[in-house]
Amino acid sequence: MRGLTLFFMLMLTVGVASARDIPRCSLTPAGSLAFGAQAVTLPRDAVSGVEIARRTISYRMSCRNLPVGRMIAVKFRPNVDNCPAHGDPNFLSTNSIPNVGFSFAGTRVPPGGTGSSAICTNSATEVNGRFFDLVLQRVRDSSETFDFSISTALVKTSGSLQTGFASYAGNIGTMDWVLLGHYPYKNRQFENNDTISASAAVTVNALTCSIPNVRVAMGNVATGALTGPGARAAPWKNFSIPVENCPPDLNRIRFKLDHLNPMLDRSNHVMAVTGASDSATGVGIQIGHDDGNETILAFSQMHDVTGYSSIQSTGGRFMIALKARYFKPAVVTEVVPGKADASALVTMSYQ
């Protein structure tokens, strides 16, 4: 009997998803927030969160091979390397632009989504930063599109603004997406670039009032009124410095006078008159606050103004009330008549 050899072949079919069946999503467009050149005129200590400019990127997410009925979410994750801006968890830092940062407080999130103005804070998904659910929706079709947007504001953060020009360009966040409850449960990258970059150029201008040149007519004073031993002074001449076109809501305005003529009597804050050939000698000019008292104004020192409080809520015009007089120091024995002119520079400080 001839032997018979039997061969058995067992074929097992294992269900393996084709690469073509893996859920995939792409974004249009890739995200870039260009704020362009911004000129900012704000008080140095404006409240944190004042908006300078806002930009919005609109996205369309195109997906295929989605499991119908599952929930899909798009998560925006701010760049925690920029956390936080000057210690404030509501803002991302712009690094190179002092006291200016990015805010996402205006970014809309769907019902049930997560989102907060506090970007830099602990959460379950990030070491030291939040995520924003920009899409949270049930899949209705295996090939479906989803529209959403990210709104970002350039804001003044805490601290004092610094005048001047500065610019920023960098990565402020990334996006990924996830099928909730879908195995394997994991965040997925978009097929194209999911990094969001931003650029901004900011010029911070000082918020100021305007001051015209002021000429004070001192009138004629007889030398006899200024002769004799000891310090002698002529009567005061009242005058005012108009402060115009002031913005509202400044917290404080200060001013100083810097003498452009040499000091004749530093202890009494008296500046000399112009040293021309026909000028008077032995006499100088002293300036005081017109407050009903003998309050002498010290040169090159900041002084608070009080008139601004009456227009603080509206802005506009107010006056700095001062007075001036001719003054002979005690060390002077003789006053020679002649022209007695002097000049001072007014400098204003705003907060």
Side-chain angles (χ1 to χ4, degrees), residues 216 218-219 261 272-274 278-281 283-285 326 336-343:
V216 181
M218 298 293 292
N261 292 47
V273 295
T274 303
D278 59 348
S279 293
T281 60
V283 67
I285 293 178
Y326 290 120
V336 177
K339 291 183 179 179
D341 296 331
S343 299

PDB file of all heavy atoms in Angstrom, residues 216 218-219 261 272-274 278-281 283-285 326 336-343:
ATOM      1  N   VAL A 216       5.770 135.461  31.371  1.00  0.00           N
ATOM      2  CA  VAL A 216       5.277 136.140  32.560  1.00  0.00           C
ATOM      3  C   VAL A 216       5.818 137.569  32.559  1.00  0.00           C
ATOM      4  O   VAL A 216       7.042 137.783  32.543  1.00  0.00           O
ATOM      5  CB  VAL A 216       5.719 135.407  33.844  1.00  0.00           C
ATOM      6  CG1 VAL A 216       5.159 136.120  35.069  1.00  0.00           C
ATOM      7  CG2 VAL A 216       5.269 133.953  33.808  1.00  0.00           C
ATOM      8  N   MET A 218       6.804 140.559  34.412  1.00  0.00           N
ATOM      9  CA  MET A 218       7.160 140.877  35.801  1.00  0.00           C
ATOM     10  C   MET A 218       6.985 142.364  36.117  1.00  0.00           C
ATOM     11  O   MET A 218       6.886 142.742  37.290  1.00  0.00           O
ATOM     12  CB  MET A 218       8.601 140.453  36.076  1.00  0.00           C
ATOM     13  CG  MET A 218       8.854 138.964  35.926  1.00  0.00           C
ATOM     14  SD  MET A 218       7.999 137.994  37.175  1.00  0.00           S
ATOM     15  CE  MET A 218       8.882 138.478  38.651  1.00  0.00           C
ATOM     16  N   GLY A 219       6.940 143.189  35.088  1.00  0.00           N
ATOM     17  CA  GLY A 219       6.779 144.617  35.320  1.00  0.00           C
ATOM     18  C   GLY A 219       8.067 145.271  35.799  1.00  0.00           C
ATOM     19  O   GLY A 219       9.123 144.635  35.903  1.00  0.00           O
ATOM     20  N   ASN A 261      18.754 129.336  33.513  1.00  0.00           N
ATOM     21  CA  ASN A 261      19.780 130.295  33.948  1.00  0.00           C
ATOM     22  C   ASN A 261      20.508 129.701  35.153  1.00  0.00           C
ATOM     23  O   ASN A 261      19.954 128.858  35.861  1.00  0.00           O
ATOM     24  CB  ASN A 261      19.138 131.628  34.340  1.00  0.00           C
ATOM     25  CG  ASN A 261      18.543 132.354  33.151  1.00  0.00           C
ATOM     26  OD1 ASN A 261      17.834 131.759  32.359  1.00  0.00           O
ATOM     27  ND2 ASN A 261      18.807 133.638  33.051  1.00  0.00           N
ATOM     28  N   ALA A 272      19.418 133.177  38.588  1.00  0.00           N
ATOM     29  CA  ALA A 272      19.929 134.465  38.124  1.00  0.00           C
ATOM     30  C   ALA A 272      19.189 134.911  36.873  1.00  0.00           C
ATOM     31  O   ALA A 272      18.553 134.114  36.179  1.00  0.00           O
ATOM     32  CB  ALA A 272      21.427 134.345  37.851  1.00  0.00           C
ATOM     33  N   VAL A 273      19.288 136.211  36.585  1.00  0.00           N
ATOM     34  CA  VAL A 273      18.708 136.744  35.345  1.00  0.00           C
ATOM     35  C   VAL A 273      19.750 136.644  34.240  1.00  0.00           C
ATOM     36  O   VAL A 273      20.918 136.333  34.478  1.00  0.00           O
ATOM     37  CB  VAL A 273      18.238 138.195  35.545  1.00  0.00           C
ATOM     38  CG1 VAL A 273      17.099 138.240  36.561  1.00  0.00           C
ATOM     39  CG2 VAL A 273      19.396 139.092  35.988  1.00  0.00           C
ATOM     40  N   THR A 274      19.319 136.887  33.004  1.00  0.00           N
ATOM     41  CA  THR A 274      20.187 136.734  31.843  1.00  0.00           C
ATOM     42  C   THR A 274      21.430 137.614  31.966  1.00  0.00           C
ATOM     43  O   THR A 274      21.350 138.798  32.318  1.00  0.00           O
ATOM     44  CB  THR A 274      19.417 137.108  30.563  1.00  0.00           C
ATOM     45  OG1 THR A 274      18.250 136.291  30.482  1.00  0.00           O
ATOM     46  CG2 THR A 274      20.268 136.890  29.325  1.00  0.00           C
ATOM     47  N   ASP A 278      23.321 144.563  29.300  1.00  0.00           N
ATOM     48  CA  ASP A 278      22.360 145.521  29.854  1.00  0.00           C
ATOM     49  C   ASP A 278      21.453 144.884  30.905  1.00  0.00           C
ATOM     50  O   ASP A 278      20.400 145.425  31.230  1.00  0.00           O
ATOM     51  CB  ASP A 278      21.513 146.136  28.732  1.00  0.00           C
ATOM     52  CG  ASP A 278      20.744 145.084  27.940  1.00  0.00           C
ATOM     53  OD1 ASP A 278      21.044 143.872  28.107  1.00  0.00           O
ATOM     54  OD2 ASP A 278      19.857 145.448  27.160  1.00  0.00           O
ATOM     55  N   SER A 279      21.867 143.726  31.437  1.00  0.00           N
ATOM     56  CA  SER A 279      21.046 143.048  32.428  1.00  0.00           C
ATOM     57  C   SER A 279      21.292 143.591  33.821  1.00  0.00           C
ATOM     58  O   SER A 279      22.380 144.076  34.150  1.00  0.00           O
ATOM     59  CB  SER A 279      21.340 141.542  32.421  1.00  0.00           C
ATOM     60  OG  SER A 279      20.917 140.953  31.214  1.00  0.00           O
ATOM     61  N   ALA A 280      20.265 143.465  34.646  1.00  0.00           N
ATOM     62  CA  ALA A 280      20.402 143.818  36.054  1.00  0.00           C
ATOM     63  C   ALA A 280      21.329 142.817  36.732  1.00  0.00           C
ATOM     64  O   ALA A 280      21.483 141.677  36.285  1.00  0.00           O
ATOM     65  CB  ALA A 280      19.032 143.810  36.717  1.00  0.00           C
ATOM     66  N   THR A 281      21.965 143.221  37.810  1.00  0.00           N
ATOM     67  CA  THR A 281      22.825 142.328  38.580  1.00  0.00           C
ATOM     68  C   THR A 281      22.425 142.394  40.048  1.00  0.00           C
ATOM     69  O   THR A 281      21.828 143.383  40.507  1.00  0.00           O
ATOM     70  CB  THR A 281      24.310 142.689  38.434  1.00  0.00           C
ATOM     71  OG1 THR A 281      24.513 144.029  38.903  1.00  0.00           O
ATOM     72  CG2 THR A 281      24.771 142.572  36.994  1.00  0.00           C
ATOM     73  N   VAL A 283      20.277 140.479  41.477  1.00  0.00           N
ATOM     74  CA  VAL A 283      18.883 140.108  41.669  1.00  0.00           C
ATOM     75  C   VAL A 283      18.575 138.873  40.825  1.00  0.00           C
ATOM     76  O   VAL A 283      19.171 138.657  39.768  1.00  0.00           O
ATOM     77  CB  VAL A 283      17.937 141.274  41.298  1.00  0.00           C
ATOM     78  CG1 VAL A 283      17.989 141.556  39.796  1.00  0.00           C
ATOM     79  CG2 VAL A 283      16.507 140.982  41.730  1.00  0.00           C
ATOM     80  N   GLY A 284      17.663 138.057  41.315  1.00  0.00           N
ATOM     81  CA  GLY A 284      17.236 136.874  40.572  1.00  0.00           C
ATOM     82  C   GLY A 284      15.734 136.704  40.663  1.00  0.00           C
ATOM     83  O   GLY A 284      15.026 137.605  41.146  1.00  0.00           O
ATOM     84  N   ILE A 285      15.242 135.561  40.205  1.00  0.00           N
ATOM     85  CA  ILE A 285      13.801 135.308  40.184  1.00  0.00           C
ATOM     86  C   ILE A 285      13.508 134.064  41.011  1.00  0.00           C
ATOM     87  O   ILE A 285      14.146 133.018  40.876  1.00  0.00           O
ATOM     88  CB  ILE A 285      13.289 135.144  38.742  1.00  0.00           C
ATOM     89  CG1 ILE A 285      13.403 136.476  37.998  1.00  0.00           C
ATOM     90  CG2 ILE A 285      11.840 134.649  38.730  1.00  0.00           C
ATOM     91  CD1 ILE A 285      12.963 136.416  36.556  1.00  0.00           C
ATOM     92  N   TYR A 326      10.926 139.083  41.947  1.00  0.00           N
ATOM     93  CA  TYR A 326      12.355 139.375  41.993  1.00  0.00           C
ATOM     94  C   TYR A 326      12.837 139.219  43.443  1.00  0.00           C
ATOM     95  O   TYR A 326      12.135 139.573  44.397  1.00  0.00           O
ATOM     96  CB  TYR A 326      12.629 140.792  41.505  1.00  0.00           C
ATOM     97  CG  TYR A 326      12.408 140.969  40.016  1.00  0.00           C
ATOM     98  CD1 TYR A 326      11.473 141.873  39.536  1.00  0.00           C
ATOM     99  CD2 TYR A 326      13.160 140.229  39.100  1.00  0.00           C
ATOM    100  CE1 TYR A 326      11.265 142.036  38.183  1.00  0.00           C
ATOM    101  CE2 TYR A 326      12.968 140.391  37.750  1.00  0.00           C
ATOM    102  CZ  TYR A 326      12.017 141.275  37.286  1.00  0.00           C
ATOM    103  OH  TYR A 326      11.825 141.431  35.942  1.00  0.00           O
ATOM    104  N   VAL A 336      22.121 146.421  40.683  1.00  0.00           N
ATOM    105  CA  VAL A 336      22.319 147.303  39.538  1.00  0.00           C
ATOM    106  C   VAL A 336      21.121 147.156  38.616  1.00  0.00           C
ATOM    107  O   VAL A 336      20.749 146.037  38.236  1.00  0.00           O
ATOM    108  CB  VAL A 336      23.625 146.951  38.796  1.00  0.00           C
ATOM    109  CG1 VAL A 336      23.784 147.829  37.559  1.00  0.00           C
ATOM    110  CG2 VAL A 336      24.817 147.095  39.724  1.00  0.00           C
ATOM    111  N   PRO A 337      20.466 148.265  38.261  1.00  0.00           N
ATOM    112  CA  PRO A 337      19.270 148.170  37.416  1.00  0.00           C
ATOM    113  C   PRO A 337      19.608 147.703  35.998  1.00  0.00           C
ATOM    114  O   PRO A 337      20.734 147.813  35.535  1.00  0.00           O
ATOM    115  CB  PRO A 337      18.728 149.597  37.417  1.00  0.00           C
ATOM    116  CG  PRO A 337      19.914 150.451  37.710  1.00  0.00           C
ATOM    117  CD  PRO A 337      20.795 149.648  38.613  1.00  0.00           C
ATOM    118  N   GLY A 338      18.596 147.168  35.317  1.00  0.00           N
ATOM    119  CA  GLY A 338      18.735 146.693  33.944  1.00  0.00           C
ATOM    120  C   GLY A 338      17.660 145.668  33.648  1.00  0.00           C
ATOM    121  O   GLY A 338      16.711 145.477  34.431  1.00  0.00           O
ATOM    122  N   LYS A 339      17.772 145.012  32.520  1.00  0.00           N
ATOM    123  CA  LYS A 339      16.828 143.971  32.166  1.00  0.00           C
ATOM    124  C   LYS A 339      17.009 142.785  33.109  1.00  0.00           C
ATOM    125  O   LYS A 339      18.128 142.453  33.496  1.00  0.00           O
ATOM    126  CB  LYS A 339      17.031 143.508  30.730  1.00  0.00           C
ATOM    127  CG  LYS A 339      16.646 144.539  29.681  1.00  0.00           C
ATOM    128  CD  LYS A 339      16.808 143.975  28.283  1.00  0.00           C
ATOM    129  CE  LYS A 339      16.392 144.986  27.230  1.00  0.00           C
ATOM    130  NZ  LYS A 339      16.570 144.455  25.849  1.00  0.00           N
ATOM    131  N   ALA A 340      15.890 142.157  33.459  1.00  0.00           N
ATOM    132  CA  ALA A 340      15.946 141.039  34.412  1.00  0.00           C
ATOM    133  C   ALA A 340      15.063 139.910  33.893  1.00  0.00           C
ATOM    134  O   ALA A 340      13.931 139.715  34.338  1.00  0.00           O
ATOM    135  CB  ALA A 340      15.517 141.487  35.796  1.00  0.00           C
ATOM    136  N   ASP A 341      15.573 139.186  32.897  1.00  0.00           N
ATOM    137  CA  ASP A 341      14.834 138.080  32.288  1.00  0.00           C
ATOM    138  C   ASP A 341      15.465 136.745  32.705  1.00  0.00           C
ATOM    139  O   ASP A 341      16.671 136.662  32.965  1.00  0.00           O
ATOM    140  CB  ASP A 341      14.858 138.183  30.765  1.00  0.00           C
ATOM    141  CG  ASP A 341      14.148 139.432  30.261  1.00  0.00           C
ATOM    142  OD1 ASP A 341      13.217 139.887  30.958  1.00  0.00           O
ATOM    143  OD2 ASP A 341      14.534 139.937  29.199  1.00  0.00           O
ATOM    144  N   ALA A 342      14.654 135.722  32.734  1.00  0.00           N
ATOM    145  CA  ALA A 342      15.131 134.369  33.027  1.00  0.00           C
ATOM    146  C   ALA A 342      14.178 133.373  32.379  1.00  0.00           C
ATOM    147  O   ALA A 342      13.035 133.707  32.034  1.00  0.00           O
ATOM    148  CB  ALA A 342      15.226 134.127  34.525  1.00  0.00           C
ATOM    149  N   SER A 343      14.630 132.130  32.202  1.00  0.00           N
ATOM    150  CA  SER A 343      13.825 131.088  31.562  1.00  0.00           C
ATOM    151  C   SER A 343      13.900 129.800  32.362  1.00  0.00           C
ATOM    152  O   SER A 343      14.925 129.493  32.995  1.00  0.00           O
ATOM    153  CB  SER A 343      14.314 130.821  30.130  1.00  0.00           C
ATOM    154  OG  SER A 343      14.205 131.974  29.329  1.00  0.00           O
TER     155      SER A 343
END
